[in-house]
Amino acid sequence: MARTAVVTGGGGGIGKAIAAAFAADEHQVYITGRRADVLNATADALGPRVTAVVCDATDPDQVALLRNKVDGPVDILVNNAGSAPAFLGLRTDDLHAVAAHWRADFDANVLGAVLTTSALEEQLAGGGAVVHIGSFATDRGQGAYGAAKAALAAWNLHLAKKLGPRDITSNVVSPGYIAETEFFGEGMPPAFYEQRVAETLVGRPGRPEDIAGLVRFLTTPAARYITGQNLHVNGGALTTR
């Protein structure tokens, strides 16, 4: 059955892989992001079921307009947009810089998901699913970025409780090292990538499709009893029990 999905940050990497999976299921897919050229290229590549909508998830005015651009009820919402803003050489004695660093991480990784979900909340259909893309940085002590993703996971529990009575699930999928993404793009020394792979138990980096597969599963009837969870996909680099 065709459904409607919204994927923020859908122009490349994990977001593009998620959008491709939903398009393959013959869903109507809206992908959002800040770069029109990237979004349009992805929509063209994935076919007529994918619609590009330029929208900065951290801008309340732009997100409010998104509500009117999505046609009909929303069965699936994936809050994938996020980043680790670069603050190279950050001086901890410059408190204005520290504040800017933490606010940028919070806006990119928490506020964008909150605004998008709030804007579309009334349009979310019963039997639907919300999925947020987190990070294993939540459990690895990685500064402002890890703290922001931890906040996202905490908010997800609140959202799952709120949406549960409407038969809507809400979960976080937390990737580890995923190659072929801008987040882990070029610029780091080879040893960095080698170390990320060495941490895994499977001896390879993750791929966007590894994350898309779990996200897709969480939107299917087989996953209706899974909600309020933070699910790790990292090749065993971080194990839980």
Side-chain angles (χ1 to χ4, degrees):
M1 180 179 67
R3 307 169 81 191
T4 296
V6 175
V7 182
T8 70
I14 291 172
K16 181 179 180 179
I18 293 169
F22 291 148
D25 286 338
E26 300 188 346
H27 297 337
Q28 175 65 42
V29 185
Y30 293 86
I31 56 173
T32 76
R34 294 175 296 180
R35 298 172 295 178
D37 56 339
V38 173
L39 288 173
N40 290 331
T42 295
D44 290 343
L46 297 183
R49 295 185 181 277
V50 179
T51 301
V53 179
V54 177
C55 177
D56 180 346
T58 68
D59 185 322
D61 292 330
Q62 292 187 38
V63 177
L65 293 175
L66 174 65
R67 181 191 296 120
N68 301 322
K69 295 179 180 179
V70 175
D71 186 21
V74 175
D75 302 285
I76 301 164
L77 170 60
V78 181
N79 288 308
N80 168 72
S83 65
F87 282 78
L88 300 178
L90 178 67
R91 290 174 45 192
T92 56
D93 62 341
D94 183 347
L95 297 185
H96 288 285
V98 171
H101 173 52
W102 280 77
R103 285 171 179 150
D105 259 308
F106 184 86
D107 284 0
N109 297 292
V110 184
L111 185 61
V114 172
L115 290 176
T116 303
T117 306
S118 297
L120 299 177
E121 186 171 334
E122 291 186 3
Q123 290 174 250
L124 294 176
V130 180
V131 183
H132 318 283
I133 303 303
S135 172
F136 71 162
T138 293
D139 296 299
R140 289 165 65 98
Q142 292 182 268
Y145 177 73
K149 290 299 189 183
L152 178 67
W155 174 69
N156 171 70
L157 179 56
H158 164 81
L159 187 64
K161 291 178 179 179
K162 184 179 182 181
L163 297 179
R166 293 172 54 192
D167 190 28
I168 301 169
T169 62
S170 183
N171 293 285
V172 178
V173 171
S174 290
Y177 169 42
I178 307 297
E180 304 170 29
T181 64
E182 289 185 27
F183 188 92
F184 287 105
E186 299 178 359
M188 301 298 289
F192 171 85
Y193 303 103
E194 293 167 1
Q195 182 180 358
R196 298 288 83 77
V197 172
E199 290 176 342
T200 72
L201 303 182
V202 296
R204 70 166 178 86
R207 305 182 184 95
E209 291 75 19
D210 293 319
I211 308 305
L214 178 55
V215 171
R216 178 185 177 277
F217 169 72
L218 289 172
T219 70
T220 66
R224 295 310 305 160
Y225 205 54
I226 303 173
T227 193
Q229 304 301 311
N230 185 5
L231 305 169
H232 288 275
V233 187
N234 53 57
L238 174 70
T239 56
T240 58
R241 59 181 179 139

